[in-house]
Amino acid sequence: MKTLLRSQDLSCPSCVAKIENALQGLKGVNDAKVHFNTGRIEVEHDPDTAPTAVLVQTVRETGYEAVVAAF
Amino acid sequence: MKQLKSWWQSPKQRRQLLTAISGLLILLALAGKYLLNQTNWHNGLMAAAALIAGSDIALRAWYSLRRRHISIELLVTIAAAGALIIGEYWEAAAVTFLFLFGAYLEARTLGQTRRILQGLLELAPTTAIVLRDGRQVEVMPHEVQPGETVLVKPGTKIPVDGDVIDGRSAVDESAITGESIPAEKVAGTAVYAGTVNQAGLLKVKATGVGADTTLARIIRRVEEAQEEKAPTQRFIERFARWYTPFIILLSGAAYLVTRDLELALTLLVIGCPGALVISTPVSIVAGIGRAAKGGILIKGGEYLENAGKISALALDKTGTLTIGQPVVTDVVVLQAAVAAGDNGELSVMEKNEQQALYWAAIAEAGSEHPLAQAIMAAVDADDLIPAADEFETFTGHGVQAVYLGHEIGVGTTGLMADLGIPVPAAAHQALDNLQAEGKTAVIVALDGSVIGVLGIADQLRPTAPEMIRRLQVVGLKKIVMLTGDNARTAQAIAGAAGIQDVRASLLPEDKLKMIRQLQAEGHVVAMVGDGINDAPALATADIGIAMGAAGTDVAIETADIALMTDDLLKIPEALQLSRATLNNIRQNVIIALVTVALLLAGVLLGKVHMAGGMLIHEASVMIVILNGMRLLRT
């Protein structure tokens, strides 16, 4: 499943690798891509092993607030 | 308490709280030192400020380190910890506080450049009223089935793309087209999801819902554009990838050579290439966002950079410079005709003109020719055009018809010769005059004699001369008109628009060759067109600009620059914005490079210390962001 998160907190592109690493390290996440310019975070994941709430919490642990977006 | 807990769990709010406390402690410490002369207080408070602000930085550094990622936070943590150990409390407090406060300001300001898109997202409608089995049912917009009838009440958002089937209203389409004047909507016109119905009740037949709407396509297109990396950005990122490791090595080497711990730590503080990596994205996001607000969709940073370098512009004539629909521009009456309809209060002159048009329209009513449409449209709207009793087409020459026993002929001199109707000298004179103006001229004959000559021409868009003038102001050297039309018509249109360079009688592949030729002369070429026959030329040009893209999905997806409306003045606006963005990127890159160079030199020469280094670093990031934001206001 593909989930889209949006964050308004990204202030320096160094956070891109940080958030991507954190998400990709999760069990059940196949791919994660952070777009610095727009603040979009795309995650390919299995909602059973890595539910959306866990994705948000993981991004939060790296220090950024993110919300799930419809598009 | 619960409030406090939720505050603490939100990284953003926690950081704001920590920044505020740390800032307050620094103020207290400064007050203690300079007002009360309490140096011990000062050091204690400064250390506390550094620990409070640093805790968040250290925590994030730890999360990254656990995932084997050396983050900027780690460098700042090491620097601040080192400063505390060697007793530089003020430096430690200032570095950590400035790091947090700078990031807060930067995220806030960057958020404003991203907000334009946020505005588009918020436009997305939330409910739709559908007619199902004669009843009104409220559903989510994406649950509407294509083909269903949607009811749009005044003051609400239109939830789907569709065609009006009943009702009349004014609709604010500024979100899609950038046009501030509401558009009139009646049965048969298209409406777009996300636009606002201002006046009347509309019944709309849904043609596109959810992700298959113009609004969704625009949002997708703008985001992809903003995310696509411009060449400058790719270059900078390669540079930046080496910058941080280089600074870490330099810091180690500096310590080994000079044994100056503070110097080594200060180098770590400036190890983030912040202003540099942010210089290009911020300009691009602002530039593309600003353009989207004006109804100009730019495909991406690369295209924005290219558009900024355009030196030649090729314009298609029909449908681009002109409206694309021929209209009757001249009616030359040669002989008063019998009245075929009641013309009420008109003067003799107008009566005669209307009579000539009216007879011509009766003959043309059965014709599919584009010129027939123009003649019929020119007849007073009040008059119904009756069907002819007999009708015949002479391909390439015109038409002949019989109505109430009157014989009508409309066409060329060739037709008149075929019908055996003599063409008087005055008619030949009128034909020559009209053709010299680049117009198509047709003769109208009634019962064996010529009664008038009609001049028909496609009309220049009223804004065309102003567009050409503005393009020249923007500094475009070469403006060329390309057309498949004959040279005389082309010259007339180009002359009225103010274009000197005209290439007429071109086939679609000739247009492509013209673009190639301009490129061979060293120009960066933009091509403006609308039709399908322009597609090869649009693709060959360095920048293909499509007009009136609001209804055509293909244009939104494929054009390098898509203008949502037919407004020609958007072309100079798009080029001007591209140039402004390109300049903005260059300024930002220069600001960032100069700052990095000065900081490095300053630190190595011992003129810049930790707090100062961090301040300059954060200030340069802010300057770059604020400079990028200027684009939003142009």
Side-chain angles (χ1 to χ4, degrees):
Chain A
M1 186 174 105
K2 189 167 174 175
T3 295
L4 184 65
L5 307 177
R6 286 181 184 278
S7 173
Q8 294 288 324
D9 293 354
L10 312 187
S11 61
C12 169
S14 70
C15 59
V16 170
K18 209 178 345 174
I19 298 173
E20 281 179 357
N21 280 347
L23 286 170
Q24 279 160 359
L26 281 180
K27 220 181 161 122
V29 171
N30 302 320
D31 198 16
K33 187 141 183 57
V34 177
H35 301 276
F36 170 76
N37 289 12
T38 47
R40 241 157 39 100
I41 304 168
E42 291 174 291
V43 193
E44 269 296 327
H45 66 119
D46 174 7
D48 294 329
T49 36
T52 322
V54 171
L55 304 181
V56 173
Q57 183 56 34
T58 306
V59 176
R60 185 174 276 183
E61 277 179 15
T62 60
Y64 306 93
E65 197 73 42
V67 290
V68 182
F71 67 88
Chain B
M1 197 62 209
K2 214 172 185 178
Q3 179 84 26
L4 214 64
K5 202 177 162 196
S6 83
W7 249 55
W8 192 252
Q9 273 173 351
S10 153
K12 191 172 162 186
Q13 282 162 340
R14 182 179 63 217
R15 211 144 48 213
Q16 282 173 17
L17 187 71
L18 291 178
T19 313
I21 295 176
S22 151
L24 204 67
L25 288 176
I26 291 176
L27 280 180
L28 279 176
L30 290 176
K33 183 174 176 185
Y34 293 106
L35 299 179
L36 307 171
N37 233 346
Q38 293 283 352
T39 317
N40 286 343
W41 271 32
H42 169 262
N43 288 347
L45 286 169
M46 283 295 185
L51 287 174
I52 285 171
S55 64
D56 184 72
I57 304 170
L59 200 66
R60 280 189 282 159
W62 168 241
Y63 274 122
S64 293
L65 198 63
R66 233 176 38 183
R67 298 196 166 88
R68 292 152 207 241
H69 182 78
I70 296 189
S71 59
I72 301 305
E73 282 85 356
L74 184 64
L75 301 190
V76 174
T77 307
I78 294 172
L84 283 179
I85 291 167
I86 58 175
E88 294 283 356
Y89 302 110
W90 150 246
E91 303 277 357
V95 161
T96 49
F97 170 76
L98 283 173
F99 186 78
L100 281 192
F101 187 60
Y104 162 74
L105 276 186
E106 287 146 20
R108 214 183 117 102
T109 323
L110 268 180
Q112 282 177 30
T113 61
R114 293 186 184 125
R115 193 144 306 147
I116 286 189
L117 200 71
Q118 208 61 31
L120 276 178
L121 287 170
E122 279 156 16
L123 281 173
T126 48
T127 61
I129 300 170
V130 196
L131 286 180
R132 281 179 186 161
D133 303 326
R135 282 191 307 156
Q136 297 185 11
V137 187
E138 194 168 314
V139 297
M140 297 286 286
H142 65 263
E143 289 167 351
V144 177
Q145 297 296 316
E148 278 193 307
T149 302
V150 177
L151 214 59
V152 188
K153 294 183 173 161
T156 60
K157 270 179 212 160
I158 296 174
V160 294
D161 278 9
D163 296 317
V164 177
I165 47 178
D166 198 15
R168 172 183 276 273
S169 179
V171 172
D172 178 357
E173 296 192 319
S174 55
I176 303 275
T177 62
E179 179 64 60
S180 55
I181 302 164
E184 283 296 324
K185 297 292 174 183
V186 292
T189 45
V191 291
Y192 306 110
T195 59
V196 183
N197 178 16
Q198 293 193 312
L201 185 72
L202 289 175
K203 266 189 192 170
V204 175
K205 183 170 170 233
T207 55
V209 301
D212 186 28
T213 56
T214 300
L215 178 71
R217 264 188 286 275
I218 292 176
I219 292 171
R220 199 157 59 222
R221 175 69 201 267
V222 171
E223 287 201 319
E224 280 169 5
Q226 290 182 328
E227 283 159 5
E228 203 215 331
K229 284 174 185 167
T232 315
Q233 188 174 354
R234 281 197 288 268
F235 163 75
I236 293 289
E237 283 183 0
R238 268 203 300 276
F239 179 85
R241 206 167 302 145
W242 294 103
Y243 179 74
T244 306
F246 167 75
I247 290 290
I248 296 174
L249 286 177
L250 189 67
S251 161
Y255 179 68
L256 289 180
V257 172
T258 62
R259 297 279 154 190
D260 181 347
L261 192 57
E262 203 198 332
L263 172 70
L265 294 175
T266 308
L267 277 172
L268 286 183
V269 164
I270 62 161
C272 175
L276 208 51
V277 284
I278 221 165
S279 55
T280 314
V282 74
S283 304
I284 291 202
V285 169
I288 288 178
R290 163 66 184 79
K293 209 166 104 185
I296 301 164
L297 296 189
I298 300 172
K299 205 179 192 177
E302 187 178 344
Y303 301 91
L304 199 69
E305 284 193 11
N306 279 345
K309 294 175 194 156
I310 286 166
S311 61
L313 181 76
L315 289 147
D316 173 48
K317 179 180 78 75
T318 310
T320 302
L321 274 174
T322 66
I323 294 162
Q325 264 177 348
V327 292
V328 174
T329 53
D330 300 76
V331 183
V332 182
V333 177
L334 296 169
Q335 186 189 316
V338 249
D342 175 25
N343 282 318
E345 309 283 305
L346 295 176
S347 68
V348 178
M349 178 76 172
E350 286 166 328
K351 255 184 203 165
N352 287 337
E353 287 187 2
Q354 273 303 314
Q355 284 310 326
L357 278 170
Y358 195 74
W359 284 112
I362 293 171
E364 293 282 0
S367 170
E368 301 282 324
H369 201 276
L371 294 182
Q373 302 293 326
I375 292 172
M376 278 160 41
V379 174
D380 269 357
D382 302 343
D383 291 335
L384 277 176
I385 300 166
D389 303 320
E390 285 171 41
F391 173 80
E392 196 183 344
T393 308
F394 294 74
T395 307
H397 286 290
V399 296
Q400 194 210 6
V402 178
Y403 174 65
L404 298 179
H406 293 287
E407 260 184 43
I408 319 162
V410 183
T412 60
T413 48
L415 179 78
M416 298 302 138
D418 284 351
L419 300 179
I421 300 170
V423 179
H428 277 294
Q429 184 62 46
L431 286 174
D432 290 345
N433 288 347
L434 291 172
Q435 278 164 358
E437 290 168 27
K439 292 169 180 164
T440 306
V442 295
I443 303 169
V444 185
L446 185 67
D447 295 329
S449 59
V450 171
I451 58 167
V453 177
L454 306 181
I456 300 169
D458 191 1
Q459 276 188 312
L460 190 69
R461 288 184 198 275
T463 46
E466 176 64 13
M467 168 192 71
I468 299 296
R469 199 188 62 76
R470 289 196 194 173
L471 284 172
Q472 282 157 349
V473 171
V474 176
L476 213 63
K477 293 183 203 102
K478 202 167 178 69
I479 301 169
V480 189
M481 186 178 95
L482 306 180
T483 177
D485 227 331
N486 66 67
R488 207 150 49 174
T489 310
Q491 282 294 352
I493 292 285
I499 300 174
Q500 270 88 45
D501 204 338
V502 180
R503 317 286 164 92
S505 307
L506 299 178
L507 298 171
E509 58 262 36
D510 295 331
K511 292 188 183 174
L512 189 152
K513 277 184 208 150
M514 295 309 311
I515 302 282
R516 289 238 169 91
Q517 193 185 323
L518 286 169
Q519 285 169 332
E521 288 166 21
H523 284 292
V524 179
V525 186
M527 162 88 194
V528 191
D530 69 331
I532 291 154
N533 61 355
D534 291 332
L538 284 174
T540 307
D542 298 288
I543 291 288
I545 304 175
M547 293 222 323
T552 48
D553 314 334
V554 183
I556 296 182
E557 304 288 344
T558 58
D560 301 327
I561 297 180
L563 308 176
M564 300 310 286
T565 60
D566 279 333
D567 184 359
L568 284 176
L569 298 181
K570 292 286 177 195
I571 297 170
E573 187 181 332
L575 295 191
Q576 198 266 332
L577 250 174
S578 302
R579 275 175 201 215
T581 309
L582 190 61
N583 276 337
N584 201 273
I585 291 173
R586 286 181 181 148
Q587 290 160 3
N588 273 355
V589 169
I590 289 171
I591 293 172
L593 284 173
V594 167
T595 311
V596 164
L598 286 181
L599 265 181
L600 264 180
V603 171
L604 289 175
L605 294 174
K607 300 281 183 204
V608 176
H609 298 283
M610 231 184 261
M614 185 57 103
L615 183 67
I616 295 169
H617 169 76
E618 294 292 346
S620 72
V621 176
M622 265 324 272
I623 288 171
V624 160
I625 294 176
L626 289 174
N627 189 40
M629 281 190 65
R630 284 191 309 131
L631 289 171
L632 295 180
R633 309 197 203 301
T634 49

